[in-house]
Amino acid sequence: MSARRVHRLHPALRDDIGDLITQRPLPGRLVEQIDPFLFLNHHGPQTYPPHNRGLPFGPHPHRGFETVTFILAGSLAHRDNAGHESVIHAGGVQWMTAGRGIVHAEVSPRDFLEHGGPVEILQLWVNLPSRLKMSEPAYTGLQRADIPALALDEGKVVLNLIAGEWEGWRGPVQSLTGVFMSTVQMRAGGGIVFGGLTGRNVFLYVARGVVQVGMHADLVSPMHLVELDETGDTVAIRASEDALLVFGHADPIREPVVAHGPFVMTTREEISQAILDYQAGRFGSALG
């Protein structure tokens, strides 16, 4: 086995959405995607006052990819025109397959609008290959208790297994493309080694805390995306202070990516068709 090396670190850059603090490491100045991982928004952390307007993500469409939303603090209400509805709280995850087209809203629950509170949310976009872009839309809402929490390194590391397999355990999400996805809580001094990465692209984002990745000399500070080289079978991570990571890996798709707003396809003609289909109501009924 050989270890992967850090190629480059990418800071999350500030790009607020109204009064919602937002920072984005992907795409960034030096990286467009880590195929098939396309986009990451880090909302918060911040605290909303009582009688607030909540999150600004009212009804909007998507086609051609999947969204994975990690609720780190607070809660998030999901509703879509395929009939899915849930409120997911801190530690939970929402996994939505937009596929051929869906209209959804991601907003703050009513009690949050009234009382306020902390908010910290990550949303990751995962591409679908052309053969799956017109899949049936789907949604899975997971509370913290639904996600296996695997204690490692004498309890100093907890791997929250969302999709894929780890030492006989299987995450509750069955990815269409075999994506492995997890969050990792680490106490200072704790370490973890991920294996089985040959031919896979790795997504590693440090949401909180400070870690060392492999033998890289520089420590990775919060709100940085770690871009690794493409060779090697393992990645070793050790926490220099308490940390929270998102760690995923997947087979690269290696197809053209043409993105326009909420649509991700492989050609401009497909983007034009997505816009026409949405305008013609072919994504299904509107959300009120």
Side-chain angles (χ1 to χ4, degrees):
M1 295 190 297
S2 60
R4 294 205 180 182
R5 296 182 178 181
V6 174
H7 175 63
R8 189 182 288 128
L9 303 179
H10 303 278
L13 302 179
R14 189 78 175 258
D15 188 14
D16 292 355
I17 302 172
D19 60 0
L20 177 62
I21 296 172
T22 300
Q23 301 187 78
R24 183 179 308 116
L26 187 71
R29 291 172 180 166
L30 299 175
V31 60
E32 291 188 2
Q33 63 167 317
I34 299 177
D35 183 14
F37 306 105
L38 300 173
F39 174 97
L40 180 70
N41 262 352
H42 188 155
H43 303 299
Q46 67 189 101
T47 300
Y48 275 68
H51 308 296
N52 63 82
R53 293 178 296 176
L55 298 172
F57 306 117
H60 57 281
H62 288 300
R63 172 180 278 182
F65 64 102
E66 299 185 285
T67 63
V68 185
T69 308
F70 309 84
I71 296 87
L72 305 186
S75 55
L76 182 63
H78 168 98
R79 187 165 61 96
D80 64 48
N81 66 347
H84 307 110
E85 189 167 356
S86 68
V87 177
I88 303 298
H89 303 287
V93 172
Q94 299 175 345
W95 191 302
M96 187 184 77
T97 302
R100 61 176 172 76
I102 197 168
V103 179
H104 77 145
E106 302 158 296
V107 297
S108 300
R110 185 171 301 174
D111 61 340
F112 183 89
L113 300 179
E114 181 178 352
H115 300 292
V119 168
E120 188 172 12
I121 293 170
L122 309 177
Q123 186 169 92
L124 174 65
W125 290 13
V126 183
N127 200 12
L128 289 171
S130 56
R131 63 184 177 84
L132 293 175
K133 283 190 176 293
M134 300 300 282
S135 299
E136 191 72 16
Y139 171 80
T140 300
L142 302 170
Q143 304 290 3
R144 180 195 294 271
D146 299 325
I147 301 170
L150 310 180
L152 309 171
D153 194 11
E154 301 179 337
K156 290 181 287 188
V157 175
V158 176
L159 174 71
N160 301 297
L161 184 59
I162 299 161
E165 297 185 9
W166 178 276
E167 296 182 352
W169 291 84
R170 181 181 290 273
V173 173
Q174 303 302 308
S175 164
L176 291 176
T177 54
V179 172
F180 176 94
M181 186 56 61
S182 68
T183 60
V184 187
Q185 299 162 268
M186 307 184 75
R187 290 181 6 220
I192 185 171
V193 178
F194 289 91
L197 303 178
T198 300
R200 309 272 281 182
N201 280 349
V202 172
F203 182 88
L204 171 53
Y205 179 68
V206 180
R208 301 174 182 166
V210 177
V211 302
Q212 182 177 19
V213 180
M215 299 302 293
H216 189 67
D218 296 332
L219 296 177
V220 185
S221 55
M223 297 188 181
H224 276 76
L225 178 72
V226 181
E227 182 183 2
L228 298 163
D229 61 24
E230 296 182 355
T231 59
D233 186 59
T234 66
V235 173
I237 306 168
R238 184 162 298 278
S240 299
E241 59 183 58
D242 292 358
L244 175 65
L245 321 174
V246 176
F247 188 95
H249 55 82
D251 291 331
I253 296 173
R254 296 192 176 96
E255 293 179 349
V257 174
V258 181
H260 179 82
F263 309 127
V264 180
M265 305 302 288
T266 57
T267 68
R268 295 196 178 278
E269 291 75 17
E270 289 173 333
I271 292 291
S272 297
Q273 188 63 54
I275 295 170
L276 290 172
D277 287 348
Y278 173 62
Q279 293 173 340
R282 298 188 190 104
F283 280 30
S285 60
L287 281 178

